[in-house]
Amino acid sequence: MTIKALRDQSLPMRHIVHVRNHIISTDISVEEGGSDAGPSPHDLYDASLSACKALTVVWYAKRKNIPLENVEVTMERDDKEERHGVYRLTATLHLTGELTDAQRAELLSVAEKCPIHKLMTAVTTEITTVLG
């Protein structure tokens, strides 16, 4: 799969990211020299984890016939030590439905194993940057 980020010439830093048939606007804050015309790359990184946890929990609950009505994931970022190699994210799951304590614990465990969580914590990512 190819993802493209193309600069929007109408704003100083805004880029339009094309993922298959989807378009995502990304920018940086006004304080950083952007226009805040979209989530920053850090926001998208954090959001990918939130979305993955939510989708994984819903997918699992459906497969196991767990009476989950809704899931909301709130992500909190602590990037104070990012330059020292520590980037902290805290994901809080808000689950609704007639769930037992055991089912809630099971869904929490599943959320901790979502593919993006694993990718961020247990996989070595190799990145090659080339000129086209």
Side-chain angles (χ1 to χ4, degrees):
M1 176 174 60
T2 301
I3 296 172
K4 290 184 180 182
L6 306 170
R7 183 156 179 226
D8 176 353
Q9 297 289 332
S10 68
L11 294 171
M13 298 296 288
R14 182 179 180 210
H15 282 70
I16 305 301
V17 179
H18 296 261
V19 182
R20 295 186 313 277
N21 295 323
H22 309 286
I23 297 173
I24 305 164
S25 174
T26 186
D27 200 351
I28 55 177
S29 69
V30 173
E31 298 79 30
E32 296 170 305
S35 302
D36 197 23
S40 73
H42 277 83
D43 296 335
L44 294 173
Y45 182 84
D46 302 353
S48 70
L49 181 60
S50 296
C52 187
K53 287 184 179 297
L55 290 165
T56 300
V57 166
V58 170
W59 174 83
Y60 183 87
K62 286 181 183 278
R63 284 190 65 225
K64 298 292 185 174
N65 293 317
I66 295 173
L68 176 69
E69 290 177 11
N70 197 20
V71 59
E72 179 182 308
V73 179
T74 304
M75 189 66 62
E76 294 290 329
R77 173 193 314 153
D78 177 355
D79 59 359
K80 292 186 298 267
E81 297 181 45
E82 180 181 358
R83 292 184 186 264
H84 302 289
V86 179
Y87 187 80
R88 291 183 177 90
L89 295 173
T90 301
T92 303
L93 270 60
H94 306 274
L95 307 175
T96 59
E98 295 294 322
L99 303 169
T100 66
D101 288 342
Q103 288 170 327
R104 292 175 60 78
E106 185 176 1
L107 293 175
L108 175 62
S109 177
V110 166
E112 292 174 336
K113 296 174 186 151
C114 81
I116 298 298
H117 186 128
K118 288 181 185 178
L119 192 62
M120 290 177 170
T121 60
V123 173
T124 299
T125 300
E126 296 179 4
I127 301 169
T128 303
T129 305
V130 299
L131 292 173

